[in-house]
Amino acid sequence: MTDLARTAPAFVEMAHRIVWCMVATVDRAGRPRSRLLHPYWTWDGETLEGWIGTTQTPVKVAHLARTPYISCSYVAPSHDTAVAECHAAWAMDDETRTRVWDLFKNAPEPVGYDPGAIGVPGWGSPTSPGFAVLRLRPWRLRVFPGSLTRGERGEILTWQTP
């Protein structure tokens, strides 16, 4: 098992290069439900957090109220894969929503975009009622370079909280 200081930067690089990931929650019967989302990850040298601008649909709200954990799985055509297993919580205060809106708006492409320009109903500004934020705190990460499937150099990195 590798340490977070080695795994987190490799994870962020791969996640931000791939951009979109399948995010799975669990319903009240224990069944997974997946959707395609676009997290933004921050790493300050000690703490890794993920941020998702989304909508608070009844399904997401119910799933996370019962089981506040999600799985984020990234896969590239090169077979690079990255997975973050996370605790997830709604962050609905105006300060956090504005900060996350600005993270996405000011980030370089391909991970950056203007949330107000994509046409999601109720997303006119960071404090609009339709714009919700999920804060992700990983408890397990895995980074698997696709080059390994071709017999090339690379290293699988896995980190988990103690």
Side-chain angles (χ1 to χ4, degrees):
M1 194 98 35
T2 56
D3 64 19
L4 183 60
R6 284 188 59 217
T7 307
F11 173 82
V12 172
E13 184 281 322
M14 190 177 284
H16 284 186
R17 181 169 34 86
I18 297 171
V19 181
W20 293 93
C21 71
M22 291 305 297
V23 174
T25 56
V26 177
D27 72 10
R28 66 177 174 244
R31 298 171 299 207
R33 175 113 175 234
S34 298
R35 68 215 26 95
L36 190 63
L37 293 174
H38 179 176
Y40 184 91
W41 297 92
T42 59
W43 168 247
D44 64 8
E46 293 183 22
T47 303
L48 178 65
E49 286 186 311
W51 303 95
I52 299 175
T54 188
T55 54
Q56 279 189 315
T57 65
V59 169
K60 287 179 205 161
V61 170
H63 287 192
L64 294 173
R66 181 172 173 84
T67 307
Y69 296 96
I70 68 171
S71 178
C72 300
S73 298
Y74 294 87
V75 180
S78 65
H79 301 285
D80 285 349
T81 59
V83 177
E85 309 293 353
C86 306
H87 180 268
W90 295 105
M92 294 301 294
D93 61 281
D94 288 349
E95 181 180 335
T96 301
R97 293 190 306 152
T98 299
R99 184 166 89 66
V100 170
W101 183 283
D102 290 342
L103 279 174
F104 280 105
K105 190 170 183 173
N106 298 315
E109 290 185 7
V111 76
Y113 69 95
D114 181 355
I118 61 173
V120 174
W123 279 31
S125 74
T127 58
S128 296
F131 183 70
V133 169
L134 275 174
R135 173 183 290 136
L136 311 178
R137 294 200 167 126
W139 58 269
R140 184 176 188 277
L141 299 172
R142 182 169 169 87
V143 179
F144 188 105
S147 59
L148 295 175
T149 63
R150 296 183 300 275
E152 297 172 12
R153 293 182 151 253
E155 182 180 7
I156 299 169
L157 301 174
T158 303
W159 168 84
Q160 186 168 324
T161 57

